[in-house]
Amino acid sequence: MANFVNSLPLPEFPLWEKLEKGRRLASFDLEITARCNNNCRHCYINLPADDADAKSKELTFGQIKDIVEEAVSLGALWCLITGGEPLLREDFFDIYLYIKKKGLLVSVFTNAALITDEHIRFFRKYPPRDIEVTVYGATKKTYERLTRKDGSFDVFTRGLKLLLEGGIKVRFKAMALRSNVHELPQISSFCRERTKDYFRFDPFLHLRFDGNKKRNKEIKFERLTPEEIVAIEQADSERHNALEKNCDKLIIKDAAHINCNHLFHCGTGNDSFTVSYDGFFRLCSSLWHPDCVYDLKRGRLAEAWQDFIPKVWDMRSNRKEFLEKCRKCPIINLCIWCPAQSHLETGKLDEPVEYFCKVAHARAEALAGKNMPRKLKLI
Amino acid sequence: MKSGVSLNNIYKPSEDVVAREVAGEFIVIPIASGVGDLEDEIFSLNESGKSIWDKLSADKSLRDVALELSEEFEAPLEKIEKDCVGLIQELLKRKIVVNQGNN
């Protein structure tokens, strides 16, 4: 009998191969709110849960439907619902279900604090591809030092328990920062004991999307030193091995020949995009430069995807410092630097950032040691 | 019938799935739990499967579907009927289609 139906685990689906061969929309992130029930020290986006102004600017369910509809017609297969804390939206269930019913795989980022039995019943009926929960600390003291919200640890553990006991697929991530770095091994154990899936931590704290100076100062204070970042990466064997395995790709021994002055070399906008809570389309979540955002309340997604992105890709810089430093840097792949991060840090898309530079060099030194390119050692 | 699939019955796509074309593949994505056997699974239909799928509807028996396809593709009815039954067997097993009986 002929075989009409192939059932494939998602990672084996041929879409991924096709994506590598050309530009095709695969996924998008929807930040459905910037509001959050926590007030994390390191957060690049959060606004108070009761911020009426932020709430009034949020895309309506109708506007979200239009964006999703267009994304589906452009071929998207995957949608991440994120925030802020997405469960704060009173119409979260409507948004989620609409996206599911359009035939998209859906992931949700949440802090789990607002999870109720109703969410569990709903997610059991309409399973997400996964729910990623951020773990800020393994103890009440550390967790609440980060979130700056009394009682947040208890509601987090309660919500997480509901998810896990409800059989919902949960992944974990943690941010590594000054206020919780002492507890990172316990956070790692906390997560790994609770999931067979992966756990990841991120020591790279992004500055605020809204440029809030006071908050940016707090974020910078929370950043780990380059040496601390290297130490925690080396302590995580999974992460260290992955970095070591890809060392040859991460360190380009001879980068001196690179002389292209295009700003974007990272593939941003090739297979994904992000939409902010107030309807701004970006090529990636961090790319907030005014020349790189497109207001979906005034235009169409198809135009942003097809016409606007190539214009951003065509942006160039002739700034000497950029061309001679970041553009030719042999360890750029170990660096968080990119035009988007440069803009958040300096207001310019093409400015080297000293902290990133130091972190990248510390990582390279730890990885390559004596095998570091001679030229690099002199930088 | 041995397979449990009858040409006299109407089979229609479950409301718990969405069928889409993505990157040149015709895929069926479960919306609700209980479709498919494995976690993290999506389904793709080959060209024959898609042709049959496109004809499934609430007011057409599987025999009618086969007849239409046989005329459209100028292929022997018996062969098309066999293909239709084969596909529906696979889809029923995975709860991607539902049996509407023979109204």
Side-chain angles (χ1 to χ4, degrees), chain A residues 1-11 13-15 18 24-25 71-78 97 100-105 124-127 129 169, chain B residues 15-16 18 20-25 27 29-33 38-46 48-49 52 82-87 89-91 94 96:
Chain A
M1 186 188 295
N3 190 17
F4 299 97
V5 186
N6 284 324
S7 60
L8 292 172
L10 193 58
F13 189 60
L15 175 67
K18 289 181 180 176
R24 200 188 292 267
L25 178 61
V72 167
S73 68
L74 289 168
L77 180 60
W78 203 320
L97 197 53
K100 282 283 283 182
K101 288 189 170 177
K102 296 307 286 184
L104 285 155
L105 305 165
R124 281 176 69 89
K125 186 168 182 191
Y126 303 106
R129 160 99 173 103
K169 189 174 174 183
Chain B
E15 288 176 0
D16 290 336
V18 177
R20 297 180 54 197
E21 199 157 323
V22 176
E25 298 277 327
I27 59 172
I29 300 173
I31 298 170
S33 56
L38 300 169
E39 197 183 272
D40 208 11
E41 191 179 36
I42 54 179
F43 308 92
S44 71
L45 265 61
N46 65 14
S48 309
I52 299 168
K82 199 175 159 194
D83 284 351
C84 287
V85 170
L87 174 69
Q89 261 181 308
E90 289 187 56
L91 297 180
R94 294 171 166 98
I96 294 172

Side-chain angles (χ1 to χ4, degrees), chain A residues 143-157:
Chain A
Y143 191 96
E144 293 180 6
R145 183 189 297 161
L146 248 81
T147 62
R148 298 187 282 202
K149 176 89 180 283
D150 290 343
S152 57
F153 185 68
D154 291 342
V155 287
F156 152 70
T157 49

Side-chain angles (χ1 to χ4, degrees), chain B residues 32-84:
Chain B
S33 56
V35 179
D37 314 314
L38 300 169
E39 197 183 272
D40 208 11
E41 191 179 36
I42 54 179
F43 308 92
S44 71
L45 265 61
N46 65 14
E47 268 188 46
S48 309
K50 181 182 181 303
S51 303
I52 299 168
W53 176 276
D54 285 344
K55 298 275 180 198
L56 298 176
S57 76
D59 58 0
K60 218 181 280 177
S61 72
L62 196 56
R63 191 184 306 282
D64 292 339
V65 169
L67 201 59
E68 276 184 29
L69 287 168
S70 167
E71 283 166 10
E72 223 167 275
F73 291 97
E74 295 176 356
L77 180 61
E78 197 184 335
K79 159 93 175 61
I80 299 281
E81 283 181 345
K82 199 175 159 194
D83 284 351
C84 287

